[in-house]
Amino acid sequence: CQTIAELELELEAQLCFPNPIMSSLFQYAQDRGKPIVLCSDMYLPDQVVRGLLERCGYTLPYDLFVSAASGWAKHDGTIWPQVLERFKVKPAQVVHFGDNKHADVFSPRKVGIKAFHFNYLRAHIEPKRRTQIEAPVTDRHVWSLIQGVISEQLSGSNPGFWHDIG
C-alpha cells in the first residue's frame, strides 16, 4: 500500500498542470491584494496539495482548506461557515469559482456566497478531444490518466486544429 501511495503522489506531481484561466484569475486577485482561499474536497494531505499548487505556479499569499486535513467539505457545505468565520466576512463579500455544480455552486449559494460554475474544460477542451468523453467500464484509472494528459495538451496551448488531431 505504501508503495502504491508513493507512486500515486509521484504521478500527481508529474501530471498536475495549472489551468491557464484560473492561473490568470489567481494572479489578478493577488495583484489587487485580494485575500485568496483555495478550497479542495481532496483526500490527499494539505501539504501535498500545497506542493502541487506551488509546482503549478500558485505562490503565497493564499490560504488553503483541504477536506482531508480539516474535515470540512464543499460538497456537504461544512466548509463555508469556517471560511466566513476565519476571514470575518459576510457571504455576499465572497466570490467562489469551481467546476462541480453541486459542491462549487449550489452548496455555497445556500449560505449566500456568490458562486460561479467554471466549466472551461467541459465547454472548451472536451469538444476538441477525438476520443469518447465517458470512461470505459474497465481501466478507469488508465483512462483518467490519458484524459488528463490530453486535457493538459489542449489547454496549455492553442495552436489550432492540425495540432489537435496530431
Side-chain angles (χ1 to χ4, degrees), residues 97-119:
F97 300 91
D99 65 351
N100 182 292
K101 278 190 176 178
H102 175 77
D104 294 314
V105 180
F106 302 138
S107 177
R109 284 182 181 172
K110 284 182 182 177
V111 296
I113 291 173
K114 292 176 280 196
F116 299 93
H117 187 217
F118 180 76
N119 66 345

Side-chain angles (χ1 to χ4, degrees), residues 17-53:
F17 64 94
N19 180 300
I21 293 176
M22 280 295 148
S23 292
S24 296
L25 182 60
F26 180 90
Q27 193 60 54
Y28 179 87
Q30 245 186 4
D31 290 348
R32 282 148 187 80
K34 302 290 184 186
I36 300 170
V37 182
L38 304 177
C39 304
S40 179
D41 283 354
M42 173 57 102
Y43 62 91
L44 293 174
D46 57 347
Q47 66 269 20
V48 171
V49 175
R50 189 177 301 278
L52 293 171
L53 288 166

Side-chain angles (χ1 to χ4, degrees), residues 4-16 52 55 141 145:
I4 292 171
E6 288 171 11
L7 287 171
E8 179 185 10
L9 295 179
E10 230 176 86
L11 276 174
E12 287 283 353
Q14 289 176 20
L15 299 177
C16 191
L52 293 171
R55 186 178 174 282
H141 299 295
L145 290 172

Side-chain angles (χ1 to χ4, degrees), residues 60 77 80 87 93:
L60 294 172
W80 310 120
F87 295 96
Q93 295 174 287

